[in-house]
Amino acid sequence: GVVNIQGDVSSQYISSLLLSAPLFQEGIEIIIRNKIVSEPYIGLTIALMKKFGVDVKWNTNKIIVPANQKYKNPGEYFVEPDYSTLSYFWLLSMIMKKSVITQGNPQRSLQADAKFIHILEKFGAIVEYKKESLIINCNTISGGEVDMIFMPDQVITLGVLALFAETPISISGIEHLEFKESNRIINLINELSKLSEIQYTNGVLTIFP
């Protein structure tokens, strides 16, 4: 039936409803209230369901999975590299100022964290894109501002990078990090403040080099 759910806490609850939807006798209609955080993860879930034979209709804040569907074995499925993990090697390259090569093409990925490479380019990464890999290097890490509402898992990675930047990095769109496996905002402030100055005002976290 119809389910109303908040969108501004976590996309994981929405993904769990979607993945189990083919088991529901009446199908499901999900009405998402408030602003949607981590939206790319919902898109990734729906894309995966479609590749396994389940029809899903998504229109802004409403998602419908019709009843009487079953997952079908596609026979063969390619699993992409995990860009959440690759991001640490990108970070290493920038801090060490040495080239790192990683497999996979983030420009063709649906993973939210694949787009983190563009955030790093904003802060000084030099990236050469190959067909199925990329080479990342860096001369200078610059500061600036960035909205991370679609990439919550990379806020901690970016926080570490900020310690090595030439000027402060200010990160917005992170209020929902309070509701992760731990309160990541408090943890970032507690741990990084042991190394440098940290400010958190009006939902914006500023980390000084």
Side-chain angles (χ1 to χ4, degrees):
V2 178
V3 176
N4 285 275
I5 188 168
Q6 288 178 244
D8 58 354
V9 176
S10 173
S11 65
Q12 293 180 0
Y13 301 116
I14 297 168
S15 287
S16 65
L17 284 169
L18 286 171
L19 290 171
S20 57
L23 299 176
F24 302 152
Q25 292 181 350
E26 300 178 19
I28 191 171
E29 179 177 322
I30 302 173
I31 308 297
I32 306 172
R33 303 192 310 271
N34 307 323
K35 181 167 65 173
I36 304 174
V37 298
S38 307
E39 185 175 319
Y41 291 97
I42 299 174
L44 183 63
T45 302
I46 292 173
L48 188 68
M49 292 172 69
K50 289 182 176 180
K51 287 185 177 180
F52 282 79
V54 173
D55 180 43
V56 183
K57 297 176 174 61
W58 184 14
N59 183 13
T60 313
N61 69 328
K62 182 187 292 186
I63 307 175
I64 298 174
V65 183
N68 300 317
Q69 298 193 74
K70 290 183 179 180
Y71 286 114
K72 301 179 181 68
N73 185 350
E76 183 175 315
Y77 182 77
F78 173 73
V79 179
E80 294 183 358
D82 176 17
Y83 288 101
S84 302
T85 302
L86 283 183
S87 67
Y88 304 129
F89 294 93
W90 297 340
L91 175 71
L92 179 67
S93 170
M94 294 186 69
I95 292 174
M96 299 294 291
K97 306 293 193 300
K98 293 182 181 296
S99 294
V100 167
I101 302 172
T102 61
Q103 298 298 312
N105 188 334
Q107 294 177 310
R108 296 204 303 265
S109 175
L110 291 176
Q111 293 179 55
D113 288 355
K115 307 299 186 291
F116 188 58
I117 193 69
H118 301 309
I119 302 292
L120 295 180
E121 286 181 294
K122 171 185 172 72
F123 292 117
I126 303 167
V127 184
E128 182 181 353
Y129 294 95
K130 302 291 187 178
K131 185 176 180 180
E132 294 299 338
S133 64
L134 65 79
I135 304 171
I136 180 171
N137 208 330
C138 179
N139 295 322
T140 302
I141 301 172
S142 60
E145 302 176 356
V146 62
D147 186 339
M148 295 292 284
I149 192 167
F150 292 146
M151 264 179 274
D153 291 343
Q154 294 306 320
V155 170
I156 295 174
T157 316
L158 187 58
V160 173
L161 182 73
L163 298 174
F164 297 86
E166 292 194 336
T167 57
I169 290 180
S170 294
I171 310 170
S172 60
I174 63 172
E175 292 91 341
H176 58 296
L177 288 181
E178 178 183 346
F179 306 107
K180 295 296 181 181
E181 294 83 353
S182 63
N183 187 328
R184 294 183 185 174
I185 299 173
I186 294 298
N187 288 342
L188 264 174
I189 294 171
N190 288 345
E191 299 307 316
L192 294 188
S193 62
K194 297 173 183 177
L195 303 170
S196 189
E197 181 183 351
I198 313 294
Q199 295 178 358
Y200 185 56
T201 307
N202 298 324
V204 178
L205 183 68
T206 301
I207 301 166
F208 291 78

